[in-house]
Amino acid sequence: AALTSEPTDPPRPWHSKGAPMADTTQELLQRIEALERRLNTPPPPASPGSSFAYVPASTGDSFFLLCSGLMVFFMQCGFGMLESGSVTSRSTQAILLKNLLDACISGLLWWMVGHAVAFDGGNGFIGGEVGFSPSSFFTAGYRNADDPGYSYLLWWFQWTFAAAAATIVSGAVAERTHLLAYLSYTVLITILIYPVIVHWVWSAEGWLSASNADAFQGGVIDFAGSGVVHLTGGTAGLCGAVIIGPRNGRFQKLPEGGLGVPLPMPGHAPVLQVLGTFILWLGWYGFNAGSQLRIATPGASEVIGRIVVNTTLSAAGSGLVSLAIATLGQWRRGTVNYEVPAICNGILAGLVSITAGCACMLPWAAFLTGFIGAFVYYGASKLMLKLKIDDPLDAFAVHGACGFWGVLAVGVFGHPEFVGFGWDGENGDVAGDEYAGFLYGGSTLFGAQLVALIIEIAWVASLSTAMFFALKMSGILRVSEEVEMAGMDVSKHGGSAYNH
């Protein structure tokens, strides 16, 4: 325009339609003020599923379950690291392959049958009712469920628990078990042993379920599965370890026959043991807190907060006490060694111990539960050696014995404000005011917990013993002595896991 003498048109306003600038500025200020008011105004309280909620309750619950399930599934990595580090280096690939197969096989079987047996309608003993809607067989009915997305996520979340139960067993029979035997017990646990116990304790119809008004003694409280998951896996592992026998070189062979004192067979990689322990500890927050299943219901956040605090205190207390017990034992023999496996298994013992009661105890009770759990673990581990039972991972001591104690501890420390079904503080709606830990004057809860433990052990032990005995008689339970001494990796998996 400076190069011509012709007049130029005035610049067009930045806004459309040529509205006066003053009007547009005023309108913009009004819009900004309205936006500020909206941002500074707290949302109105919304009931679950309300259309006024910024995030629908179902979406929040689904996201919570997804995050929790991811943490639980990551525990498979923790099991793999812990187990591979706790065995000799010649069996590393074998134990890792087993973990991968557990996840794959249990996933398919839980989709086909397992979840239906556990949660579809039926009677007090077993689920899987034909015609139940939505049907969990092959998840066939989930598309027609009230909330299909949450139904699929709940199936997946429960599968991560089933996979954990199957994985526990492998540690007890590590380094001498045939691959076909691994596959066989994974199948039986996933389609029958584990889902039946889940149905008893966690389904609406189960004869031990706290959500069943007709349950025995008001039902058992096993919030996240000290008994359902860990006692099941630990008991099955014990049966397998007894029937398969100890590893070659684990106990001294006496000249007159029989077995003598235990001989050291330490794990080859403490680094993997510690890594696996930390991964499992992390995953346990999803395991315990995720068992709340929903986060958008009133009071759920308080319960979840209490769960993570209790889980932390029990694990930390048990880990320190276990290390102290092991160190004092060394000191009495004239040496002092601070054993890494002792604190690793102690932490896991505390986590297993609090799994049943993580939602219904006060923090001080959770600490005591872990404190006592350390002694339970240590005593069970020493008893196994005394009985000449070889359990390379201490699977029974950690998961079986501490799982038993964890369920029983609820009958001692279960707080009367937290033991009501739904964890909403409304106790007495199912079993009456006496439904609390006996420390608070309760009289029925401890009995329900004890009976549940006895029946669960009987169920798992009978079926597991029959299975492992049948595998032994058919010659596919244990590998040959030559294969075992050479190492599973070299004999069955193409060579050592470490090429250096």
Side-chain angles (χ1 to χ4, degrees), residues 159-184:
W159 161 68
T160 63
F161 279 58
T167 299
I168 291 168
V169 184
S170 62
V173 295
E175 296 201 84
R176 70 268 202 206
T177 304
H178 199 286
L179 182 61
L180 288 177
Y182 278 132
L183 304 182
S184 299

Side-chain angles (χ1 to χ4, degrees), residues 61-117:
D61 291 337
S62 295
F63 185 71
F64 171 70
L65 204 60
L66 174 63
C67 293
S68 299
L70 289 172
M71 295 173 70
V72 179
F73 182 64
F74 192 51
M75 291 175 72
Q76 291 293 325
C77 179
F79 280 120
M81 295 300 97
L82 177 67
E83 292 179 12
S84 61
S86 299
V87 299
T88 59
S89 60
R90 61 178 183 263
S91 297
T92 303
Q93 287 198 75
I95 205 76
L96 292 174
L97 176 64
K98 181 277 314 169
N99 276 277
L100 292 168
L101 290 174
D102 277 346
C104 295
I105 293 172
S106 64
L108 292 177
L109 294 176
W110 195 250
W111 171 61
M112 296 176 186
V113 179
H115 194 273
V117 173

Side-chain angles (χ1 to χ4, degrees), residues 150-356:
Y150 187 81
S151 297
Y152 282 119
L153 282 168
L154 185 60
W155 172 91
W156 171 73
F157 181 75
Q158 295 294 348
W159 161 68
T160 63
F161 279 58
T167 299
I168 291 168
V169 184
S170 62
V173 295
E175 296 201 84
R176 70 268 202 206
T177 304
H178 199 286
L179 182 61
L180 288 177
Y182 278 132
L183 304 182
S184 299
Y185 75 67
T186 298
V187 170
L188 187 62
I189 286 176
T190 307
I191 68 174
L192 184 61
I193 295 177
Y194 173 75
V196 166
I197 293 181
V198 171
H199 185 79
W200 292 352
V201 178
W202 289 341
S203 75
E205 298 84 9
W207 71 280
L208 287 172
S209 174
S211 59
N212 181 359
D214 299 321
F216 176 79
Q217 293 285 86
V220 62
I221 294 180
D222 189 359
F223 187 82
S226 288
V228 173
V229 178
H230 297 283
L231 180 61
T232 295
T235 302
L238 173 62
C239 295
V242 170
I243 294 173
I244 198 173
R247 292 168 291 174
N248 284 295
R250 184 64 180 97
F251 295 97
Q252 181 186 37
K253 291 186 177 180
L254 301 176
E256 63 275 15
L259 300 174
V261 297
L263 301 175
M265 288 188 72
H268 81 282
V271 172
L272 294 179
Q273 293 176 342
V274 173
L275 176 62
T277 300
F278 271 123
I279 292 174
L280 288 170
W281 192 347
L282 170 66
W284 230 287
Y285 292 112
F287 201 97
N288 286 357
S291 294
Q292 175 68 18
L293 300 182
R294 296 184 182 274
I295 196 171
T297 54
S301 60
E302 177 186 349
V303 179
I304 293 169
R306 184 165 62 246
I307 288 172
V308 297
V309 169
N310 288 347
T311 300
T312 302
L313 294 177
S314 183
S318 182
L320 292 175
V321 173
S322 295
L323 179 61
I325 294 172
T327 304
L328 287 175
Q330 296 280 347
W331 177 74
R332 290 180 61 188
R333 293 190 292 270
T335 60
V336 176
N337 293 316
Y338 303 102
E339 299 177 350
V340 169
I343 190 170
C344 287
N345 282 339
I347 290 169
L348 298 177
L351 291 167
V352 172
S353 298
I354 197 57
T355 298

Side-chain angles (χ1 to χ4, degrees), residues 9-57:
D9 296 332
R12 293 186 58 81
W14 59 267
H15 50 85
S16 60
K17 298 184 180 180
M21 181 67 73
D23 293 347
T24 304
T25 303
Q26 186 65 30
E27 180 182 353
L28 179 61
L29 291 174
Q30 291 174 353
R31 289 178 178 272
I32 293 174
E33 291 174 356
L35 179 60
E36 288 179 344
R37 286 195 297 269
R38 290 186 60 186
L39 292 174
N40 293 328
T41 302
S47 58
S50 170
S51 59
F52 294 101
Y54 282 152
V55 177

